Amino acid sequence: MTRLVIGIDIGTSSSKGVLVDEHGVIRARAGRPHGVSMPRPGWVEHDAEAVWWADFVDLAGELSAAADTAGPDATLSGLAVSGIGPTLLPADESGAPLRPAILYGVDTRATEQIDAITAEIGEQALLERGGSVLTSQAVGPKIRWLAEHEPEAYRRTDKLLMCSSYLVHRLTGRYVLDHHSASQTDPLYDLGARAWAEDLAGRIAPGITLPELVWPTEVVGEVTPRAAEETGLPAGLPVTAGTIDAWAEATSVGVRTPGDTMVMYGTTMFLVQVLTDPRPHRGLWGTSGAFPGTYTLAAGMATSGAVTDWLRGLVGGDFTALVDEAAAVPAGSRGLLLLPYFAGERTPLFDPDARGIVAGLTLEHTRAELYRAALEGIAFGVRHNLEAMTDAGGSVARLRAVGGGTRGGLWTRIVSDVTGAPQEIARETVGACYGDAMLAAAATGISDDTDTWNPVVATVRPDPRRHDLYDEYYQAYRQLYESTRGIAHFLARQQRAAAQQT
C-alpha cells in the first residue's frame, strides 16, 4: 500500500500544495496566486473566505484528485496546513469571520496600541514573559486596536483565529492553536510556562475565548462530512494542528535541532534558529518552537525579493538577464551600497520609518551594478540578523537555505560571502507545504523517518577574499543607516502626508 499525505500553505501572495508519499517523494504539486488588500496606508489584509478558504478548496480538490489516480494501492492518510502569521482574524461563536484578517508585521496600524501596552506592562516585563518586545508583528496590540476602532466587531468576537487555525476549524470544527503561533500573540502567551498568560489576556482580550493549545505535530481532528463535500477531501481524513508558514518551511529543510538555522529567500527574508531554552532579545522575536521541547529565535526583513522585483520593473529585462549581468560585476558593485529598507525594516531595527537608500551612484553605473547592490544590501541585512542571534546567545551550527531565491546561485553565494557562513541547500526547496507534509506524515505515523526525506544536495561556501572586502562594506552599511535615520524618518512623514492628501 502507498500512503499519501497532503500539505497546503497559504502565503502572502500565493498558496501552494503538495501530495507526498511516505518516502517523501512529491507526487503532485498545485499553486494559486492571490493578492493582499491595502484599504489604507499601513493596513494589509486578507479576506479569509475569498483567499484562504477559496485557495485551500481549490488546492485540496486538485491534490485529492491526484491521490485518486496515484494507483489502486494508494490511500490518502493525512493533511497538514500552514499559513501566514501571526494574523488576527476575529470570528463569532460559530467561527465565521467578522472582518478581513489583519496580517502580520507588514500591517502597522496598531502603533499607538503598541506604545500604550508597553507603557502599561513595561518593556522588560514583556520581554521576560513573552520573549519579545511589542512590535507590529504582535497580535495583542491589534486586538486592542479592534476593540477601540471597531467596537461592534469586537463585541461579537468569540474566537481569535490565525490562518492555519481557521482552516483547521473549517475542516474539523476544533478550535485550537499551536504553541508556536500562540507565542506570537504577545502579550497573551507566557513563553516560559508554555501556556496562556491569563492575567494579561484578560487585560488585552477581555470576553474572548482563547483556543486550546496544541503542537503542530498533533492530529487534532478529522475532515467532517460537510468539509469533505466542500473540498473533495475524504471524510474522516486526519488533520494536524498546523502552524505559521516560516516554521513549516524550516521543518521542510530539517531545521529542527538546536543550532539549526533557516534562511528563507522570498519576497521577504526570514530566519529561524532553534534553541533549547528561551533567549529574549530586543531586536528579535523569541518564540516557542514547532516541536515540543524547542524554542526559536526569529528574524524577518521587511523586503528582500520585493526589492529585486521593484528594480526589475524599474529598469526592464527579465530576471535571468539581470542575474547574469550582476554576476559579471565584482563584489562591492563598483562602489555602490544599498539599504533595502523600502518598506521600513523589521528585525533587528524595528523601524517602520526606515527607508531605502542607494549610495555612491555615478553616471557610469548600470542596472547590473544596481541589481548586484540590491542583493548585497539584503545580504548585509541577513548578517545583521545573524549577529543579533549570536548576541542573544544563539549559535549557527548549520545554515539551511530555502525558497525561490535559492535558484540561480548568485544570491546565496553573495549571502555566504557576506556572512562568512556556508549554506546547505536541500533537494526540495518548495517550502512550507512540503514541511506540512512532513508534519502530517509524522503525526499520523505513516513515516517515522521524515528527516531523510529532503537530503542536502549542495553547499554554498564563502570566498575568503570577497568576505574580507564585504567586511568593509558591511561596516559602511551599518553606519549609513545610523547617519541617515533622521532624514529617512522625515521623508516617511512626508510620504504619509502625501498619501493622506491623495
Side-chain angles (χ1 to χ4, degrees), residues 253 398 400 423-427 454-459:
V253 290
R398 182 174 61 174
R400 288 277 177 98
Q423 297 173 84
E424 297 177 348
I425 300 178
R427 180 178 60 200
N454 201 13
V456 171
V457 295
T459 301

Side-chain angles (χ1 to χ4, degrees), residues 432-448:
C433 59
Y434 192 68
D436 295 331
M438 289 180 169
L439 293 173
T444 56
I446 76 163
S447 176
D448 58 3

Side-chain angles (χ1 to χ4, degrees), residues 90-322:
D92 65 17
E93 190 174 354
S94 70
L98 295 169
R99 70 169 328 277
I102 300 172
L103 299 197
Y104 53 99
V106 294
D107 185 295
T108 58
R109 73 184 70 192
T111 52
E112 291 182 6
Q113 291 74 24
I114 290 169
D115 292 342
I117 296 172
T118 299
E120 290 172 24
I121 299 173
E123 185 176 89
Q124 186 62 31
L126 289 165
L127 188 64
E128 292 175 357
R129 189 84 177 273
S132 306
V133 298
L134 294 184
T135 69
S136 63
Q137 189 84 343
V139 170
K142 293 172 182 177
I143 296 173
R144 181 168 286 186
W145 179 93
L146 182 70
E148 293 175 355
H149 291 270
E150 298 179 4
E152 178 58 24
Y154 185 86
R155 184 189 66 78
R156 298 174 58 202
T157 298
D158 179 71
K159 293 177 170 60
L160 298 177
L161 297 171
M162 293 197 189
C163 184
S164 60
S165 63
Y166 168 74
L167 296 174
V168 168
H169 188 267
R170 287 289 298 260
L171 290 167
T172 69
R174 292 287 307 280
Y175 178 42
V176 298
L177 187 65
D178 70 286
H179 279 274
H180 167 69
S181 299
S183 70
Q184 295 213 43
T185 64
D186 299 296
L188 275 63
Y189 184 86
D190 189 314
L191 188 61
R194 292 196 192 269
W196 291 117
E198 299 288 351
D199 55 331
L200 297 180
R203 294 169 61 178
I204 305 301
I208 295 176
T209 304
L210 297 177
E212 176 187 349
L213 293 171
V214 292
W215 290 98
T217 50
E218 292 182 46
V219 171
V220 296
E222 298 177 344
V223 173
T224 65
R226 178 178 177 179
E229 185 177 349
E230 290 186 69
T231 63
L233 294 167
L237 181 69
V239 178
T240 65
T243 192
I244 289 174
D245 54 2
W247 278 257
E249 191 137 14
T251 299
S252 78
V253 290
V255 173
R256 305 181 188 186
T257 59
D260 287 351
T261 306
M262 176 197 73
V263 180
M264 182 180 72
Y265 293 76
T267 304
T268 64
M269 187 75 78
F270 208 86
L271 297 89
V272 174
Q273 184 175 110
V274 182
L275 308 170
T276 55
D277 55 282
R279 301 274 181 172
H281 187 283
R282 281 180 170 80
L284 301 167
W285 298 302
T287 72
S288 179
F291 298 91
T294 63
Y295 296 85
T296 56
L297 284 172
M301 298 173 64
T303 60
S304 55
V307 174
T308 59
D309 283 345
W310 169 83
L311 186 57
R312 180 187 61 82
L314 194 66
V315 301
D318 59 35
F319 278 117
T320 300
L322 283 170

Side-chain angles (χ1 to χ4, degrees), residues 449-470:
D449 198 20
T450 56
D451 285 342
T452 65
W453 278 18
N454 201 13
V456 171
V457 295
T459 301
V460 182
R461 301 189 185 279
D463 182 302
R465 292 169 298 179
R466 287 196 291 266
H467 178 64
D468 289 344
L469 173 65
Y470 279 136

Side-chain angles (χ1 to χ4, degrees), residues 408-431:
L410 178 61
W411 198 358
T412 51
R413 187 164 71 248
I414 288 174
V415 169
S416 279
D417 288 342
V418 166
T419 62
Q423 297 173 84
E424 297 177 348
I425 300 178
R427 180 178 60 200
E428 293 291 348
T429 60
V430 66

